[in-house]
Amino acid sequence: MGVSGFIKGFNFLHRTKPRSRVCPSFYLQNRAFSDSNILNNNDSLLPVLIVGAGPVGLVLSILLTKFGVKCAVLEKNKGFSKHPQAHFINNRTMEVFRKLDGLSEEIQRSQPPIDSWRKFIYCTSLTGSILGSVDHMHPQDFEKVVSPISVAHYSQYKLTRLLVKLLEENLGFHICKSEGHEGLDHEPLRGREILMGHDCVSIDTTDQCVTATVSFSKEGKSMTRKIHSKILVGADGAGSTVRKLVGIDLKGEKDLQKLVSVHFLSKDLGQYLLNERPGMLFFIFNTEAIGVLVAHDLKQGEFVLQVPFYPPQQNLEDFRPEICKKLIFKLVGRELSDIDVIDIKPWVMHAEVAEKYVCANNRIILAGDAAHRFPPAGGFGMNTGIQDAHNLAWKIAILLKGVAPSSILATYETERKPIAIFNTALSVQNFRAAMAIPATLGLNPTVANSVHQVINKAVGSILPSGMQKAILDGIFSIGRSQLSEFILNENNPLGSSRLAKLRDIFEEGKSLQLQFPAEDLGFRYIEGAIVPDSKDAVPAPEVPTGRRRDYVPSADPGSRLPHMNVRVLSNSANEEIISTLDLVSGDKVEFLLMIAPVEESYNLARAAFKVAEEYKVSMKVCVLWPADTVTGVHPESKATLAPWKNYLDVIEVKRSLDSLSWWRTCQMTEKGALLVRPDEHIAWRTKSSIVGDPYSEMKMVLSTILGIESE
């Protein structure tokens, strides 16, 4: 299926309303739940129960706690995973982490040096010939022009460890293991707990709450308990129990490829690669073996090897530690003295998105891999999930504080689902680009998969399993013979042609890509908790190219607020320089109105303060002065905005004399204004001054964003 066909296959990319789906009757009572009264009148309930203690669930628990919402986390495993898994953290996720008590700084300090992971290397073995390499870091990636922070390479289990540390040390969370907490099964959860070894086995809803029945082990006995909450979030991974319990289906492509992931340590190999050919991914093709090596940390010698897996002819017995060591030696090109195989896991690559993100009258919500499963190409899985949590947290908080009706949670699906569909298609496109390399070398993965299917369907019921395996191994051995030095050299016409095509793929940027700045920072919500420009037509859905495209700043409603450095005007001699993204609070649910110091905009700011007070939401005003116009505190804002005090004067810090001003960057006049949501996305803008009553305009804007019926 082509990528455009892949997107159309979902059939729900940009709908004006999320498609309604009746949840199964065994857990949904279909009682009215159209406002937040029930949620806010029952203080005995846990406000939010999060199922899943991976990065998405943990980030959501941090954000909710910082926003003043009590929550607890369930994790079915008794310990946190130590398998490296995801490892690339993109720009937007690092921007989210900047607001989490020094998390981004800790990641930057702890990650390997960029020069040790910026390249993908294609070779016949790790000590053999290099077929090509791609440097994925461009000069602009380090200049902090479009973002105040760069991407990172940091293993998922290490990130989980930092998130847990933050929750325990900064936010007062407790790690609870059922075996060690007497009476835990009888006590109601009050928030700030992470319950390990607790598996959600059923979900029920009433007009009062969501009830999760949870199983756990205590003193060797299997026990259950019921946990009552106002909202339940399923962040429990690709095989989500929550998603299955509520009967939400996935749509897309299944079983793109089956692989085995081998986690191993070797400082010997790490030191060699660090000195001779540093990189993040190594694509290895030779006559004896094929695999992709992910270098999680060359200095520590931590790796994950991904190899194709073809069950039932192959099984996990074929990947015992001793066999994996021999396979690694074939890919390295020599034996290693210190190899230690830690873990071996099979997994299946899918490209699917949940048909619904929100159900049970907006009380059961899916986030992260529970809502979408991507190929790992481009690293969109964990990043998209963390951005789900960022979108969701402020909406849950504003609902539970009684400010917005429960319909605010429906906008989470409206906004995030199209992003997941696009990222799924982009990941598939990038995965296809990765497959173009072996295909060029005479090893078409599509053909290999077709051969495997033929064996399964045609002879699977006739021939013994041993013979099937021998046939499969024989066919793949013949295929790998295409990689022999006899064929793959410049003196062989066929080999020379293939190597030339390979060079073209690398030079034209058609191979597997690591960074997608335009999609990473430039994604936009077309509808949801925003006020679209009335005169602008809804743009046609983009089709992912699979190529790196640079980000172009945009102030369109639904876009992330563009980054620019500004200096805070104060009485202090050392005026702080911050990013415009830092103007948005990370510790409370607060809207930000950005204006220029002109009379019409001051009038708009006073109206915004008044409406926000009526709606019981926090509003901050930022008065952004043009570069070189003022120094120190300017009295005009204080006098003009009185009696309101929640404002900030800042001045542009231009990178160079020819840099665009803030309002030109936003393609607006200085009489315009931006209203920014707590997740740093633009909720509303006016490109020039308001025509009419600013109070009426701001009342319309906030009521539209919050989903409140305006009087």
Side-chain angles (χ1 to χ4, degrees):
M1 184 190 305
V3 174
S4 60
F6 178 87
I7 295 178
K8 292 175 183 176
F10 281 97
N11 199 30
F12 50 85
L13 181 56
H14 286 286
R15 295 182 180 270
T16 50
K17 299 287 183 183
R19 187 171 54 175
S20 175
R21 183 181 186 276
V22 178
C23 293
S25 59
F26 66 82
Y27 78 94
L28 182 58
Q29 305 299 318
N30 291 322
R31 290 173 176 146
F33 190 69
S34 58
D35 58 46
S36 58
N37 292 335
I38 294 172
L39 286 179
N40 297 299
N41 290 338
N42 193 340
D43 293 331
S44 66
L45 295 176
L46 176 70
V48 181
L49 178 64
I50 300 167
V51 181
V56 175
L58 295 176
V59 167
L60 180 60
S61 67
I62 293 169
L63 292 170
L64 288 174
T65 304
K66 290 171 78 69
F67 288 157
V69 176
K70 291 182 179 179
C71 62
V73 184
L74 298 183
E75 172 55 50
K76 67 180 180 181
N77 296 307
K78 293 184 179 180
F80 295 102
S81 173
K82 294 183 179 179
H83 200 82
Q85 295 172 280
H87 54 95
F88 179 66
I89 307 176
N90 68 18
N91 250 161
R92 186 64 187 128
T93 298
M94 286 297 284
E95 288 179 351
V96 174
F97 288 171
R98 288 179 75 245
K99 301 290 181 73
L100 302 187
D101 301 341
L103 179 62
S104 62
E105 291 87 344
E106 180 63 31
I107 290 170
Q108 288 182 316
R109 281 194 299 268
S110 304
Q111 72 170 343
I114 289 175
D115 285 344
S116 73
W117 56 262
R118 60 193 293 168
K119 291 183 179 180
F120 290 177
I121 295 174
Y122 300 79
C123 54
T124 58
S125 74
L126 294 179
T127 56
S129 301
I130 292 179
L131 301 171
S133 69
V134 179
D135 186 346
H136 291 283
M137 301 301 291
H138 294 191
Q140 62 265 36
D141 297 330
F142 304 100
E143 293 169 357
K144 298 186 179 180
V145 174
V146 299
S147 176
I149 196 164
S150 298
V151 301
H153 173 44
Y154 198 65
S155 300
Q156 181 173 321
Y157 79 93
K158 295 179 182 177
L159 172 62
T160 297
R161 195 161 58 202
L162 290 183
L163 293 170
V164 171
K165 180 182 177 183
L166 192 159
L167 283 162
E168 287 187 294
E169 297 182 2
N170 294 32
L171 299 175
F173 271 68
H174 301 282
I175 308 295
C176 307
K177 296 182 180 179
S178 56
E179 297 283 357
H181 286 261
E182 185 66 31
L184 181 67
D185 51 311
H186 301 297
E187 297 175 0
L189 297 181
R190 297 300 181 187
R192 306 197 187 209
E193 301 104 339
I194 302 177
L195 275 61
M196 306 301 293
H198 285 64
D199 191 11
C200 182
V201 294
S202 71
I203 300 172
D204 185 41
T205 62
T206 69
D207 56 359
Q208 294 295 319
C209 67
V210 180
T211 300
T213 301
V214 178
S215 71
F216 61 98
S217 175
K218 186 174 182 181
E219 297 175 355
K221 296 179 181 178
S222 180
M223 303 184 70
T224 63
R225 66 172 294 186
K226 295 185 183 296
I227 301 175
H228 308 288
S229 63
K230 298 175 182 179
I231 292 172
L232 184 147
V233 179
D236 50 340
S240 173
T241 298
V242 172
R243 187 185 66 233
K244 293 171 184 174
L245 287 173
V246 300
I248 294 177
D249 294 328
L250 294 165
K251 191 168 185 178
E253 283 192 77
K254 293 181 184 293
D255 297 346
L256 287 170
Q257 190 167 3
K258 294 181 176 68
L259 299 109
V260 167
S261 176
V262 183
H263 179 204
F264 71 95
L265 302 176
S266 172
K267 287 196 173 183
D268 180 8
L269 178 59
Q271 196 60 45
Y272 167 76
L273 292 175
L274 201 56
N275 293 333
E276 300 297 330
R277 50 179 73 173
M280 177 193 283
L281 296 187
F282 297 83
F283 299 83
I284 310 161
F285 308 97
N286 63 48
T287 56
E288 294 189 277
I290 293 171
V292 179
L293 186 72
V294 185
H296 281 262
D297 192 322
L298 290 178
K299 185 177 180 181
Q300 297 300 319
E302 184 170 33
F303 301 92
V304 171
L305 174 65
Q306 306 283 4
V307 292
F309 182 41
Y310 295 96
Q313 290 78 22
Q314 293 179 339
N315 55 55
L316 279 184
E317 282 295 304
D318 297 315
F319 294 91
R320 295 189 305 275
E322 286 305 314
I323 295 176
C324 286
K325 286 182 182 180
K326 292 178 182 178
L327 175 62
I328 292 166
F329 295 160
K330 291 175 183 178
L331 293 168
V332 172
R334 65 174 173 85
E335 292 193 2
L336 302 169
S337 60
D338 63 345
I339 188 168
D340 182 11
V341 175
I342 304 297
D343 195 14
I344 301 165
K345 287 186 176 181
W347 64 283
V348 183
M349 188 187 299
H350 303 287
E352 299 177 296
V353 176
E355 289 193 317
K356 288 191 69 63
Y357 279 27
V358 180
C359 68
N361 291 325
N362 302 322
R363 282 175 290 175
I364 299 176
I365 304 163
L366 301 180
D369 286 356
H372 41 72
R373 312 195 295 192
F374 305 157
F380 283 98
M382 182 181 71
N383 289 295
T384 303
I386 287 169
Q387 290 153 32
D388 288 343
H390 195 224
N391 180 288
L392 181 59
W394 74 271
K395 295 176 180 178
I396 291 177
I398 212 164
L399 165 65
L400 294 179
K401 292 177 187 297
V403 173
S406 66
S407 59
I408 190 73
L409 297 185
T411 68
Y412 162 68
E413 177 177 323
T414 305
E415 294 175 355
R416 293 302 300 166
K417 187 174 165 185
I419 303 301
I421 294 167
F422 184 89
N423 287 351
T424 305
L426 181 55
S427 297
V428 170
Q429 184 91 336
N430 207 23
F431 170 66
R432 304 289 189 216
M435 295 300 99
I437 302 299
T440 300
L441 294 173
L443 292 167
N444 194 325
T446 304
V447 173
N449 290 335
S450 298
V451 168
H452 182 229
Q453 289 174 12
V454 167
I455 292 175
N456 284 342
K457 293 177 181 178
V459 300
S461 60
I462 302 171
L463 297 178
S465 59
M467 189 172 293
Q468 291 180 47
K469 185 177 185 302
I471 292 172
L472 190 68
D473 289 346
I475 292 171
F476 289 166
S477 179
I478 293 170
R480 290 195 302 271
S481 67
Q482 300 291 313
L483 302 170
S484 69
E485 292 183 7
F486 173 74
I487 295 177
L488 204 59
N489 71 80
E490 294 291 355
N491 295 323
N492 184 305
L494 178 59
S496 177
S497 173
R498 288 175 175 174
L499 291 172
K501 289 178 181 177
L502 205 60
R503 286 192 293 271
D504 289 341
I505 289 173
F506 294 141
E507 290 171 3
E508 295 171 13
K510 293 181 178 179
S511 61
L512 177 71
Q513 298 297 299
L514 176 65
Q515 289 207 71
F516 294 89
E519 291 78 11
D520 174 4
L521 297 174
F523 67 87
R524 177 188 173 194
Y525 303 136
I526 303 301
E527 55 185 342
I530 62 172
V531 183
D533 286 348
S534 57
K535 296 180 182 179
D536 289 355
V538 176
E542 290 184 78
V543 175
T545 65
R547 311 280 187 91
R548 174 178 169 134
R549 295 188 299 128
D550 288 332
Y551 162 73
V552 178
S554 170
D556 292 337
S559 299
R560 156 203 172 266
L561 180 70
H563 156 72
M564 175 183 280
N565 283 332
V566 294
R567 190 171 73 249
V568 179
L569 297 175
S570 68
N571 289 319
S572 170
N574 298 317
E575 294 176 334
E576 186 182 10
I577 294 178
I578 62 174
S579 166
T580 46
L581 294 168
D582 297 325
L583 299 170
V584 181
S585 174
D587 295 319
K588 60 181 177 178
V589 179
E590 182 176 72
F591 288 85
L592 172 73
L593 182 68
M594 298 184 69
I595 63 170
V598 296
E599 182 179 356
E600 297 95 327
S601 295
Y602 278 125
N603 292 337
L604 182 68
R606 289 195 298 271
F609 276 133
K610 186 175 181 182
V611 173
E613 186 177 62
E614 292 173 3
Y615 282 163
K616 296 182 174 59
V617 298
S618 180
M619 178 73 68
K620 179 166 69 177
V621 169
C622 171
V623 184
L624 201 152
W625 296 79
D628 304 322
T629 56
V630 292
T631 56
V633 174
H634 201 279
E636 185 174 346
S637 296
K638 183 177 181 179
T640 308
L641 294 176
W644 315 105
K645 297 180 179 179
N646 194 20
Y647 69 89
L648 190 67
D649 284 296
V650 302
I651 186 169
E652 298 173 357
V653 176
K654 284 196 170 186
R655 293 182 57 83
S656 62
L657 291 175
D658 58 351
S659 295
L660 293 178
S661 71
W662 170 254
W663 299 109
R664 285 194 63 191
T665 297
C666 295
Q667 299 182 16
M668 297 163 60
T669 72
E670 66 171 7
K671 293 185 178 181
L674 294 172
L675 184 66
V676 187
R677 307 187 323 189
D679 62 355
E680 301 166 2
H681 281 257
I682 295 166
W684 166 86
R685 73 170 171 191
T686 177
K687 292 184 178 181
S688 56
S689 56
I690 296 292
V691 177
D693 177 26
Y695 172 81
S696 298
E697 179 71 14
M698 292 313 300
K699 192 164 187 178
M700 179 279 295
V701 167
L702 271 181
S703 63
T704 301
I705 294 164
L706 299 174
I708 300 171
E709 291 188 13
S710 183
E711 297 176 0

